[in-house]
Amino acid sequence: MNRFPTIQDIHDARARLEPHIRHTPLLRADKMEKAVGCKLYLKPETLQITGAFKIRGALNKALSLPREEIVNGIIATSSGNHAQGLAYAARMLGVRAILVLPVGTPKIKIENTKALGAEVILFDGDTAARWKRVYEIAAESHYAPVHAFEDPIVMAGQGTIGCEILDDLGDVDTVIVPVGGGGLISGIATAIKESKPNVRVIGAEPALTPKYFHSRINKRRTSLPLQNTIADGLRISVPGQNPYPIIEKYVDDIVLVEDAYIVEGMRALAKDAKLIAEPAAAITVGALLARAFNVRPDENVCAVLSGGNWDLGDLARIYGDG
């Protein structure tokens, strides 16, 4: 397989995953439409089996690997949701899962990963340093590494979300997607643009980690100093090597969202849609509330909610301050 997923790869992933994951619903968010200025539909991957979209890519990769490659185990690093997806895949296939997580990973993501039977190693370092450690452990113990966003088979799994959106909302005008490493939006954008090129795809990136935003301005992959953002799942300082050209080809615009609007999105989703979304997911609604890009009142906009795994204590403080 080449570095980039094709529409056929995504269709193959959909057939492979269908018996094992949820086709999450598309929900009309009527109560939020006045505030966002369009017809709003939500794609809540918060309702996925592991509470996030990551199971799609992780399981697609694990199911694609020959048994002899995974017999000793599979390994990755993650801010939490890819870890849970990979742990679930490993348990389903009866192999070990080893996850290297940042020391600041929300407790719920650590606990959920362990509950799925995975071994968790906490590591104090940025994404590049964690992946370096992953590959060292993989070489020592003959584990199969599964990259969260560079792997085209993982991207193809995430792209199945785009297929579901087109199935459930044939007249969608715009799809807005969170941007972290870039695997999610790469898969979704490929699925949508290869099927309906007139549908607009927007990426929402935290204003504190604007790597893809600045890469587009600079016309090259641009690394930025890592800053803390409430959207921990999107906190990456370097654009993905393989996602970057896909995003440049298929994504119409990348917008930045301040943390305050991300929090506002979380509150709006809880109050008006009765959905719990972690900050990395609520960024799409935050972008609409911030009017980060133009929409029409009659425009059908789908906001992808990537996951709902966040510590309840932190959620309580955010909702309580609202």
Side-chain angles (χ1 to χ4, degrees):
M1 190 176 186
N2 63 27
R3 292 167 55 207
F4 314 126
T6 66
I7 189 66
Q8 186 59 52
D9 295 327
I10 294 170
H11 291 321
D12 291 345
R14 194 173 187 189
R16 190 179 293 119
L17 293 172
E18 190 173 16
H20 307 295
I21 66 166
R22 292 177 184 149
H23 178 135
T24 51
L26 202 64
L27 306 175
R28 179 79 179 266
D30 308 67
K31 291 183 178 179
M32 300 171 65
E33 290 182 348
K34 184 177 179 181
V36 299
C38 61
K39 294 180 181 178
L40 180 61
Y41 296 82
L42 305 173
K43 180 65 170 170
E45 287 293 291
T46 54
L47 304 179
Q48 194 49 263
I49 292 170
T50 56
F53 77 95
K54 291 281 192 177
I55 188 176
R56 295 176 184 260
L59 187 54
N60 190 46
K61 178 66 174 182
L63 290 171
S64 301
L65 288 169
R67 184 72 188 186
E68 58 268 23
E69 287 190 30
I70 64 171
V71 66
N72 289 327
I74 48 182
I75 186 170
T77 185
S78 161
S79 62
N81 285 331
H82 181 61
Q84 292 171 74
L86 202 61
Y88 182 93
R91 189 179 70 173
M92 193 180 94
L93 295 172
V95 299
R96 292 182 66 192
I98 301 88
L99 284 311
V100 179
L101 306 186
V103 291
T105 300
K107 290 180 182 178
I108 189 172
K109 294 182 179 181
I110 297 173
E111 291 168 0
N112 288 350
T113 303
K114 289 181 176 179
L116 288 165
E119 176 187 343
V120 170
I121 300 170
L122 295 179
F123 186 84
D124 188 9
D126 62 14
T127 305
R130 293 199 313 272
W131 273 111
K132 182 175 182 292
R133 184 59 187 141
V134 163
Y135 289 123
E136 289 171 351
I137 297 171
E140 292 165 4
S141 302
H142 304 288
Y143 299 141
V146 178
H147 203 289
F149 54 83
E150 294 285 11
D151 192 302
I153 299 176
V154 172
M155 284 189 261
Q158 324 302 27
T160 59
I161 295 171
C163 296
E164 291 179 13
I165 292 170
L166 294 178
D167 282 353
D168 296 342
L169 188 63
D171 57 349
V172 63
D173 297 303
T174 298
V175 178
I176 180 165
V177 186
V179 179
L184 174 62
I185 196 168
S186 295
I188 290 177
T190 300
I192 288 174
K193 291 294 191 178
E194 288 291 325
S195 304
K196 290 193 173 181
N198 291 332
V199 175
R200 183 170 58 152
V201 178
I202 305 288
E205 195 168 40
L208 291 170
T209 59
K211 60 211 170 294
Y212 279 104
F213 181 86
H214 283 288
S215 295
R216 177 158 289 190
I217 292 171
N218 296 336
K219 301 187 184 306
R220 59 179 174 81
R221 289 173 66 228
T222 301
S223 176
L224 298 172
L226 199 59
Q227 297 189 67
N228 286 326
T229 169
I230 193 170
D232 62 286
L234 308 179
R235 188 175 174 266
I236 295 175
S237 61
V238 184
Q241 182 174 348
N242 290 336
Y244 173 69
I246 302 172
I247 289 169
E248 287 305 289
K249 179 178 180 180
Y250 287 131
V251 175
D252 296 280
D253 199 6
I254 297 170
V255 299
L256 300 182
V257 187
E258 300 286 347
D259 275 17
Y261 279 107
I262 296 174
V263 169
E264 200 173 320
M266 294 175 70
R267 291 175 181 152
L269 285 164
K271 176 176 177 289
D272 296 324
K274 311 307 178 191
L275 290 171
I276 294 176
E278 62 185 277
I283 192 171
T284 53
V285 173
L288 287 161
L289 292 170
R291 302 299 170 102
F293 61 100
N294 294 326
V295 293
R296 305 182 314 274
D298 63 341
E299 188 171 345
N300 290 324
V301 177
C302 175
V304 176
L305 306 180
S306 51
N309 296 315
W310 223 49
D311 287 337
L312 294 179
D314 293 330
L315 287 170
R317 281 190 291 276
I318 283 175
Y319 297 150
D321 291 340

